[in-house]
Amino acid sequence: MSEYQYYEFAAIDRPLTPQQQAELRSRSTRATITASSFINEYHWGDLKGDPLDWMRRYFDAHVYYANWGSCCLLLRLPRATLEKAVLDAFVLPAERGSAFSASATDEHWILDWSDWDEEGTGDCERFWDEESQRWMARLLPLRDELLRGDTRPLYLGWLARLCKGELDDAAMEPPVPPGLQTLSGAQQALVEYLLIDPDWLEAAAEASEPLSASDETAPALDAWLAAQTPETLRAALRLLLEGRGAQAEREVRRRFLDWQRERQPAVAAPPRRRVADIAVLRQGAAQRRLERERQAREAEEARLRAERQRSLERLANDADAAWAGIDRTLQRGSGAAYDQALQSLRALAEALAQAGRERELRSGLARLQQSHGRRGAWVKRLIAAGLVEK
């Protein structure tokens, strides 16, 4: 298998300047470079640069995958998006090269979801199908989700570490976000991208509360808006008019959540689980998955049997046309024609047997033998198929 690597970078918060595009062009003459992206494929050689360095300097998102199974997703977020203590619960202890890690600049967090399969032993089919070059489009919404305070992508990163064997049985689970049982499209894409074990995911999701419905939060939103000063609302509108909509949403959402937490009754946090505790639940999840697969397999087999039965009924009802078609095929006198005729005859024999019309089958075979019994190659096929005696 020839080597193949795919690199894509995206600039979201601000476009690349002409100078920055020129700097990137100096690293590659073949890449597609625009004010918002850098895309290149390599069948030999490699990127002349460090993706993490490029994320610090130029980009907000990066997707990489190779045909031997390695893949990486990098997202850059403003530092204000995540408190260090919140992030640490999902990434510590971890270093770059872990299935999920984070690094910091003065202004940003750079989150890294990776699966480095340098031995080429993993499943890489997801990087070869017709959807393979849409991974950026599928995964990029994770960045907006994180900006809105959704920590499910962080938890999935921790779960990827668990699946890769980075955590021992005594390791403590990070805070479980709501909504693990109803992942977004981008979150489900991350599960597929990192090959997160569905049994671990189902076991972890047992402790996850459902997401709040929008109609449940509407009264709280109205009450919070009514309490805001004109200056606070004006500041948010100013950010919107200045083209900093993501920052405006982030700050407004943070104020609302702080206000909401202050007014909610204190509720004891659910006990945190150890990896060993989740492993016990995983055994049950695996058993349920196997049972679902068995039921689905049996249902599919039943559907195929019923479909086959209906097909044979139609064939038996049109037996005269089927016999005539077999006769015309045999008149061509070639090996391919004999094979085609035998396939049709087998289906017709099954259809007539199902209808209890074996006598009709025998008489039809006799007519065929009268017309084509001197075709030695055809007769040999009939004998081998057990349709006539030697």
Side-chain angles (χ1 to χ4, degrees), residues 282-332:
R282 178 177 179 260
Q283 294 176 3
Q287 292 174 355
R288 291 190 295 273
R289 173 180 56 79
L290 292 172
E291 177 61 18
R292 290 194 300 269
E293 291 174 354
R294 184 190 65 78
Q295 292 177 0
R297 188 165 56 250
E298 291 179 353
E300 177 64 11
E301 291 171 354
R303 184 189 68 80
L304 292 175
R305 285 195 300 271
E307 185 177 296
R308 177 66 174 169
Q309 183 175 348
R310 289 192 296 270
S311 175
L312 292 174
E313 288 173 355
R314 290 192 297 269
L315 182 57
N317 291 336
D318 202 16
D320 290 342
W323 286 115
I326 293 169
D327 181 72
R328 288 193 301 272
T329 302
L330 288 171
Q331 290 175 21
R332 285 164 28 205

Side-chain angles (χ1 to χ4, degrees), residues 13 128 146 249 302 316 322 361:
D13 288 346
W128 280 102
L146 289 163
E249 180 181 358
L361 172 62

Side-chain angles (χ1 to χ4, degrees), residues 169 171-172 200 203 272-282:
D169 286 349
M172 298 301 296
W200 278 117
R272 294 176 63 185
R273 301 175 293 183
R274 297 174 303 141
V275 166
D277 301 325
I278 307 175
V280 173
L281 298 175
R282 178 177 179 260

Side-chain angles (χ1 to χ4, degrees), residues 98-207:
S98 168
F100 182 50
S101 59
S103 58
T105 70
D106 290 342
E107 298 180 358
H108 297 97
W109 292 114
I110 300 177
L111 306 183
D112 181 343
W113 294 261
S114 300
D115 182 5
W116 298 108
D117 184 11
E118 300 301 339
E119 300 298 323
T121 58
D123 177 9
C124 57
E125 184 178 349
R126 64 198 187 282
F127 303 136
W128 280 102
D129 62 25
E130 60 186 21
E131 293 289 308
S132 63
Q133 293 194 5
R134 297 191 64 253
W135 279 112
M136 176 66 86
R138 295 182 66 193
L139 295 169
L140 190 56
L142 293 170
R143 186 172 186 270
D144 283 340
E145 292 172 0
L146 289 163
L147 290 171
R148 293 187 174 98
D150 190 340
T151 60
R152 285 179 292 176
L154 306 182
Y155 189 92
L156 292 176
W158 180 84
L159 206 57
R161 297 177 59 206
L162 177 56
C163 293
K164 297 301 177 184
E166 296 180 22
L167 304 170
D168 60 31
D169 286 349
M172 298 301 296
E173 178 186 34
V176 181
L180 283 180
Q181 298 182 20
T182 52
L183 298 179
S184 69
Q187 291 160 12
Q188 186 57 48
L190 184 61
V191 170
E192 298 169 17
Y193 194 65
L194 298 176
L195 298 178
I196 293 174
D197 186 309
D199 298 333
W200 278 117
L201 177 57
E202 181 177 335
E206 290 187 26

Side-chain angles (χ1 to χ4, degrees), residues 339-386:
D339 290 338
Q340 180 183 343
L342 182 62
Q343 182 178 359
S344 299
L345 182 56
R346 279 173 164 163
L348 181 57
E350 185 180 354
L352 293 175
Q354 177 179 282
R357 294 158 57 183
E358 289 85 354
R359 180 179 297 179
E360 181 179 336
L361 172 62
R362 290 193 295 271
S363 62
L365 279 171
R367 289 195 303 272
L368 278 182
Q369 288 296 81
Q370 289 176 0
S371 302
H372 305 285
R374 295 182 180 180
R375 301 179 187 273
W378 165 244
V379 174
K380 287 181 180 179
R381 285 169 168 80
L382 288 178
I383 295 172

